[in-house]
Amino acid sequence: MVERKILLGNEAIAHGLLEAGCSMATSYPGTPASEIMATLIQLKKHHGVPCHLEWSVNEKVAVETALANSYAGRRSAAAMKQVGLNVAADPVMSAAYTGVKGGFLLIVADDPGPHSSQTEQDTRQFAMFAKLPVLDPALPSQAREWIASAYTLSEHYEIPVILRPTTRVCHARQDMAVRAFCTDVVQPVFEKDPGRWAATPKFRYRLHQQLNEKLEKISRDALWQPRLLNADALREATEPQAIKPFDKVLVTSGAVCAHAVEILRALNLWDRVPIYQVPMPYPLSEDFCSELLEAASEILVLEETQPVIEGQIRDRKKVRGRWSGHVPKEGELLPEIVENILRRFLNLSPAAPSPPPAPGRRPTLCAGCGHRAAFFAIRKVFPKGIYASDIGCYTLGLNLGAVDTVLCMGASISQAAGFYHAYRDAGQESRHVVATIGDSTFYHAGVPALINAVTQGCRFPVIILDNGTTAMTGHQPTPAAGVTADGTKVPAVSLEALAKACGVNHVSVGDPYDVTGFMELLQAAKAHCQDSENGGMAVVIARRPCLMEHSRHEGRKPRPQQPIVTEKCEGCGFCLKFFECPALIFHGENQAVTIDDNLCAGCGVCVEVCPHKAIVKPSADA
Amino acid sequence: MQQQQIAVSGLGGQGVLFVTKLLAEAALRKDLSVLVSETHGMAQRGGHVIGHLKVFTYDAHTAPCTTDALISSPLTSPLIRPGCADVLLALHQESLETHGYLLRPDGQVFCHRSPPKAPGDIDAVGLAKKLGNAVAANMVLLGYAVAQGALFCSIEDLTAVLAQTAGTRAALSLKALEAGAQAASEARMD
C-alpha cells in the first residue's frame, strides 16, 4: 500500500522540489511562503539530499544566487511572498531575457485577502509584465505534482517559470502519497556566452525577440492547456468541434477552482455546467480563447486577485468577471462569495445570508515582548514624535501609538529621512523623527537606507529592535546568528559593527526590559542627533531575545515571579493604553487591574510603566 | 460515504492548530482523506485563530495521481462554507460569536466556558489547570467532544496519534484528553 502523509501546501512544494532534483533553493521568509524553505531544511537534515539551501539576506539576493546555479545547468528555486517579488523585480525582469539552462522555478506565494501582507498584488500579472509563464495550482497536491513538469517546461524553453500558490494552497493541508527524492547530482557546467549571460543592450533586443517567440510556443504547450474538469457537462453537445457549443461556462484558476468544483457538486450542477481549470494563466492559449468565445454564450472567469485570464479573453461581450462587475474587484474569493457569484451567474436563488462574522480581536505583541518595552521608552523620550516603522512583529506597535508609517521592508529609515528633510527644510528642526526597524529587516533593506541617511546629513535616531530572529515569519536565523539554515557555523555579521560601518558614530546597545537604563540610551542618542558640532545619525540597538524563540530552543523555563498589583491601583487605565500588555486585565475605571497568571511572562516592565507605583515587584522571599 | 466538516476556533496561543492537526492525523490513520486550512501570521498574535478540517472517504489508493483529486474527490475546497460545519470546537466563548456562522443549523457545538452555561459547555481551562497546565485545555475540550460521539474518530484513535506525535508533552495531553472524556461521561449521568 502506498504510504500517505498529510502535508501542508508549502511542505508539498518542498517535497516536489526534492523529488524533481532541485540542487539549490534560496528564500527570504514571508507569510505565506516561509514553510517552503523551513521544510526543505528539515528534509535535507533527515534525508541528506544534495541541495544547497539558504535563507538569503533578501529576495533579490535569493534570486540572483539561485539563478547562477541554473545558468550552470542545475535545477534551482527561489521562494518568497508576493511583495518579496518586488524586491527581486530587477533580476527577475532581466532573467526573463537571458533565460536559463537548468530549470529555474520562482515560487511566489500570493496572499489574496490579504491576511498578512501590505498588498493583494497578483503575481500572475507580474508574470505577464515580466513575460514569464506562470502556473496557478488549486490544491497542495497539485502544486507538488506540477513541479517536475514545470522544470521540464523551464528547461525545454530555457526560461524561468513562476509557480504561484496562494495562501489557501500554501496553508492548506492534504493527504498525499510519500515518494522518494531524486539524489542524482548534476555537475555544474557553465558555458561562457557573454552575448547572452552578459548581454549589452543591442543583444538584449535580440533576447527580447527570442523571449516573445518562446512565449508564443509555450502558450501552445499541450501539457499546460486549460482543461475541462467535468467532461459529462458537455455530454449533450454533439458537434464534433474541439470545443463543443454550450451555454454558460466557468473558467477558473488557483484555489478558487477548488472552491468552485466543490460548490458545483453541492448544488448538483457538476454534470451541467462546464468548468475549466487554467493551469497556466499566462501565456494563455489564443486558440483556447477564440474557441471558447465561439462556443459559449456566457463565460464566467473566477480567479484571484486581478483579471489576468479575463483580460486575455479579449472579446468583452461574453465575458463576466471583475471588469464586468460580476466578481468583486478586491479581496479573497472565499467559498461563500464564489457560491453567490455562481448562483447569480446561473440564475439561481441566492444562498441564505449568513450573519457577518463578529469583528475579531486585534493582534498584539506577546506578553513580555521586548518591543513593547522599547516602544514605551521611545514614546517617553520622543513625545509627539513621528514614528516611522517597518515590517515585522513590531508593526503591532501601532496599537501603542508608536508606529505612524509602514510601507515596505527597509522604508522606515528612508521615510524617516524624508520626514527629517521635510521638517528641517521648513525650519522645524525640533520635530522629532524616530525610525524603528527589526534586526532581520535592517539586514534585508535597512542598510542601504541607513547609508543614504548618513550621507545626506540626516540626524535622527534609528532604533533597531533586535530580538535575534525573524520572529513574525517563524524564527528564521538572521545574519547575526552565525549559523546557516542547516545549523552550519559561519561568520556572524554584527549589527553594531554594521551600523558603525554605515558611517554612524553614535551606536549604543541596551536591554529594553531595563526601562530606565534604556531611556538613558535614547536620551544620549537624542543629544547626539541635536549636537550641532559633532552630531549626526544615531543607532540604538534594543536587544532582548524573542520569548517564543527562546522557549523553542531552551524549553519553557520557570518564569520569573509576576509583579503584584497593590491597593494603590485605581484603574486609571494608563498601563492599558500606553503599554497594552495582554496579561494586564482592565476591569473598568476605579477598579484595580489584575494580572493573568497564564499570560504574564514576569518581565516586570509594568512596574516601571505604572505612573502611580501601584504595581510592585514580588518580594524576594515571597 | 462518510464525511465530516469540523471547525476549531480559539484565540492565538490556545492550541487550535494542534487540535486540528491531531484530528487530521487521526483521519489518516482511519484511511480517510483530509483537507485542512488554518490561520497563519498576524492573527496568531493573540487574535482569533480558526482551523477548518474536512474528512471524507475517497479512494486515494486507486487514484494516486493527485492532479485528478480536483475531479474525483468529493470535497476539494480547504475552507468550510457558512452553515456547513457539522461540529464547532470553541476554545473560547468569543469564538462562538466569531465563527458560529460556520455551523449548520443542526450542527453540534462544544465550548470552553467557565462556569458551563449551555449544553456542550465545559470548563476546559479549569480542568486543565487541575492537571497542572491550563495549556492543555484544548485537549480537554477535544476529549469531551470525542467521548460524546460527535466526531468521526474515537478517543483511542486520538490516543494512538498522540502517542506518536506529541513528544514530551504527550503525557499531559493524554491526561487532559481523558479528563475531557471523563467529564463527558459524568455529564451523561447527570
Side-chain angles (χ1 to χ4, degrees):
Chain A
M1 195 196 275
V2 186
E3 193 198 341
R4 287 184 308 147
K5 241 183 172 171
I6 299 169
L7 296 182
L8 187 71
N10 283 340
E11 293 169 349
I13 289 170
H15 277 257
L17 287 171
L18 297 183
E19 286 156 11
C22 173
S23 67
M24 182 186 291
T26 59
S27 182
Y28 183 82
T31 312
S34 309
E35 298 85 358
I36 299 170
M37 179 56 67
T39 308
L40 285 169
I41 293 164
Q42 287 304 317
L43 293 176
K44 182 178 175 180
K45 205 180 271 177
H46 289 117
H47 302 273
V49 281
C51 182
H52 171 79
L53 301 172
E54 66 173 51
W55 284 116
S56 307
V57 75
N58 66 29
E59 294 84 355
K60 172 176 147 70
V61 173
V63 166
E64 290 158 352
T65 308
L67 190 64
N69 188 56
S70 163
Y71 280 6
R74 287 147 54 98
R75 290 188 166 181
S76 323
M80 64 202 67
K81 68 180 293 177
Q82 89 281 25
V83 287
L85 180 57
N86 302 337
V87 178
D90 215 1
V92 170
M93 297 297 288
S94 212
Y97 278 37
T98 66
V100 299
K101 279 289 180 188
F104 183 76
L105 268 190
L106 191 63
I107 304 172
V108 187
D110 279 4
D111 186 22
H115 297 269
S116 47
S117 307
Q118 306 95 298
T119 64
E120 288 192 279
Q121 78 187 55
D122 189 330
T123 293
R124 301 172 313 153
Q125 200 124 36
F126 199 112
M128 200 188 262
F129 174 45
K131 298 196 168 181
L132 290 175
V134 57
L135 312 176
D136 195 6
L139 289 168
S141 56
Q142 211 165 45
R144 175 201 189 188
E145 296 296 330
W146 287 4
I147 285 174
S149 336
Y151 271 130
T152 312
L153 179 75
S154 173
E155 283 161 3
H156 185 77
Y157 297 99
E158 301 199 346
I159 191 170
V161 171
I162 301 179
L163 179 72
R164 176 262 196 180
T166 58
T167 303
R168 297 300 172 193
V169 173
C170 293
H171 286 168
R173 292 180 196 270
Q174 195 184 357
D175 57 296
M176 52 194 92
V178 173
R179 282 195 221 121
F181 297 140
C182 169
T183 48
D184 291 346
V185 187
V186 177
Q187 290 305 312
V189 180
F190 177 63
E191 287 172 20
K192 292 189 186 225
D193 182 0
R196 179 171 177 189
W197 307 127
T200 50
K202 199 178 76 185
F203 287 103
R204 294 273 165 160
Y205 174 71
R206 197 181 308 152
L207 290 175
H208 192 179
Q209 281 180 321
Q210 288 170 5
L211 175 60
N212 286 334
E213 285 159 17
K214 286 179 192 177
L215 283 172
E216 175 65 30
K217 286 185 194 142
I218 292 169
S219 77
R220 292 175 205 281
D221 192 296
L223 194 60
W224 298 101
Q225 293 304 301
R227 62 190 193 118
L228 179 66
L229 297 177
N230 49 354
D232 282 356
L234 288 184
R235 197 174 32 199
E236 285 166 32
T238 49
E239 297 291 314
Q241 292 168 357
I243 294 181
K244 295 162 182 172
F246 40 85
D247 186 27
K248 295 184 176 186
V249 60
L250 305 178
V251 177
T252 65
S253 88
V256 195
C257 176
H259 302 326
V261 164
E262 187 172 307
I263 293 163
L264 278 187
R265 284 218 169 84
L267 299 178
N268 288 321
L269 292 169
W270 181 247
D271 295 336
R272 287 163 55 197
V273 183
I275 175 168
Y276 283 88
Q277 181 188 22
V278 180
M280 184 174 66
Y282 180 82
L284 189 59
S285 148
E286 280 284 337
D287 294 346
F288 170 75
C289 294
S290 49
E291 285 177 26
L292 195 66
L293 279 165
E294 186 79 16
S297 63
E298 267 190 281
I299 303 159
L300 175 65
V301 184
L302 292 170
E303 58 186 327
E304 280 175 333
T305 302
Q306 291 164 8
V308 171
I309 297 170
E310 190 186 351
Q312 290 175 86
I313 309 177
R314 285 192 289 272
D315 187 328
R316 304 250 55 83
K317 284 191 198 106
K318 292 180 174 178
V319 182
R320 312 284 177 257
R322 291 180 192 269
W323 273 332
S324 69
H326 288 72
V327 177
K329 287 188 171 25
E330 60 283 308
E332 182 179 11
L333 293 182
L334 292 166
E336 52 266 41
I337 296 173
V338 173
E339 178 176 348
N340 275 321
I341 298 169
L342 275 176
R343 282 172 175 273
R344 267 196 302 277
F345 179 67
L346 301 169
N347 301 323
L348 302 171
S349 57
S354 56
R361 290 192 169 202
R362 64 177 179 181
T364 181
L365 293 166
C366 305
C369 176
H371 297 339
R372 177 181 284 104
F375 280 130
F376 180 78
I378 291 166
R379 287 201 57 184
K380 280 276 210 187
V381 176
F382 302 95
K384 300 200 178 114
I386 298 175
Y387 309 116
S389 194
D390 228 300
I391 312 285
C393 284
Y394 51 94
T395 307
L396 297 170
L398 57 88
N399 291 359
L400 303 164
V403 169
D404 292 323
T405 65
V406 177
L407 186 69
C408 63
M409 298 283 282
S412 57
I413 301 177
S414 353
Q415 290 205 293
F419 286 122
Y420 173 79
H421 290 304
Y423 279 88
R424 187 196 53 189
D425 291 354
Q428 298 180 38
E429 296 217 27
S430 58
R431 185 74 199 253
H432 296 302
V433 181
V434 183
T436 47
I437 185 167
D439 45 342
S440 185
T441 312
F442 179 69
Y443 289 113
H444 175 284
V447 174
L450 182 58
I451 294 170
N452 200 60
V454 168
T455 55
Q456 290 302 317
C458 295
R459 288 156 173 259
F460 61 86
V462 175
I463 321 299
I464 303 180
L465 300 162
D466 177 17
N467 60 10
T469 184
T470 319
M472 185 59 121
T473 48
H475 308 281
Q476 295 79 10
T478 72
V483 287
T484 59
D486 62 5
T488 310
K489 280 211 157 81
V490 287
V493 179
S494 133
L495 277 178
E496 295 92 311
L498 190 52
K500 282 181 189 151
C502 288
V504 179
N505 293 326
H506 184 103
V507 178
S508 58
V509 187
D511 180 355
Y513 271 11
D514 169 17
V515 180
T516 313
F518 189 70
M519 276 168 48
E520 281 165 14
L521 292 184
L522 292 177
Q523 290 288 4
K526 186 177 177 182
H528 176 76
C529 295
Q530 287 171 339
D531 180 348
S532 54
E533 290 282 311
N534 303 310
M537 289 292 291
V539 166
V540 181
I541 300 168
R543 183 161 289 154
R544 171 49 64 172
C546 171
L547 284 176
M548 283 166 76
E549 167 72 353
H550 199 70
S551 66
R552 246 168 36 117
H553 288 302
E554 321 268 316
R556 282 176 197 238
K557 282 190 181 163
R559 293 169 183 169
Q561 282 196 316
Q562 65 186 55
I564 296 158
V565 183
T566 66
E567 66 281 3
K568 279 192 201 163
C569 177
E570 291 173 0
C572 71
F574 180 90
C575 57
L576 276 301
K577 190 166 176 211
F578 295 96
F579 194 56
E580 208 205 32
C581 176
L584 291 169
I585 306 165
F586 193 52
H587 299 278
E589 259 182 66
N590 308 324
Q591 290 195 58
V593 160
T594 56
I595 294 175
D596 182 332
D597 53 357
N598 287 318
L599 285 177
C600 178
C603 72
V605 175
C606 54
V607 172
E608 293 192 63
V609 165
C610 175
H612 305 294
K613 308 242 174 295
I615 307 179
V616 296
K617 285 196 172 138
S619 56
D621 53 25
Chain B
M1 181 183 61
Q2 196 183 353
Q3 187 171 307
Q4 192 169 43
Q5 307 198 17
I6 304 163
V8 187
S9 174
L11 299 177
Q14 287 196 307
V16 168
L17 303 186
F18 184 64
V19 170
T20 315
K21 210 175 158 181
L22 198 59
L23 284 169
E25 291 291 343
L28 195 64
R29 283 182 73 90
K30 296 178 79 69
D31 236 6
L32 295 164
S33 283
V34 292
L35 272 171
V36 182
S37 189
E38 50 195 46
T39 318
H40 275 240
M42 276 242 184
Q44 280 189 64
R45 301 291 187 268
H48 287 287
V49 180
I50 174 92
H52 297 243
L53 171 70
K54 297 182 180 183
V55 302
F56 47 95
T57 323
Y58 162 54
D59 201 343
H61 305 309
T62 55
C65 178
T66 36
T67 308
D68 287 326
L70 209 49
I71 298 171
S72 47
S73 170
L75 295 173
T76 49
S77 166
L79 294 174
I80 299 172
R81 274 178 296 146
C84 290
D86 301 296
V87 180
L88 171 65
L89 300 177
L91 292 167
H92 195 285
Q93 61 190 62
E94 267 182 41
S95 310
L96 295 182
E97 291 161 38
T98 316
H99 294 124
Y101 73 98
L102 289 172
L103 201 66
R104 65 181 165 86
D106 54 346
Q108 281 184 282
V109 186
F110 298 94
C111 178
H112 156 69
R113 203 179 334 229
S114 178
K117 272 192 216 149
D121 280 3
I122 178 173
D123 179 6
V125 173
L127 279 174
K129 270 189 187 165
K130 276 190 205 159
L131 298 173
N133 198 338
V135 172
N138 58 348
M139 289 297 110
V140 175
L141 186 73
L142 181 60
Y144 186 67
V146 167
Q148 303 214 358
L151 300 171
F152 66 91
C153 57
S154 67
I155 195 117
E156 289 75 25
D157 295 326
L158 293 174
T159 339
V161 180
L162 260 184
Q164 285 184 348
T165 58
T168 51
R169 285 162 78 186
L172 175 66
S173 295
L174 278 171
K175 265 202 284 177
L177 204 58
E178 281 157 17
Q182 178 68 25
S185 66
E186 283 162 17
R188 268 199 299 276
M189 285 191 284
D190 284 346

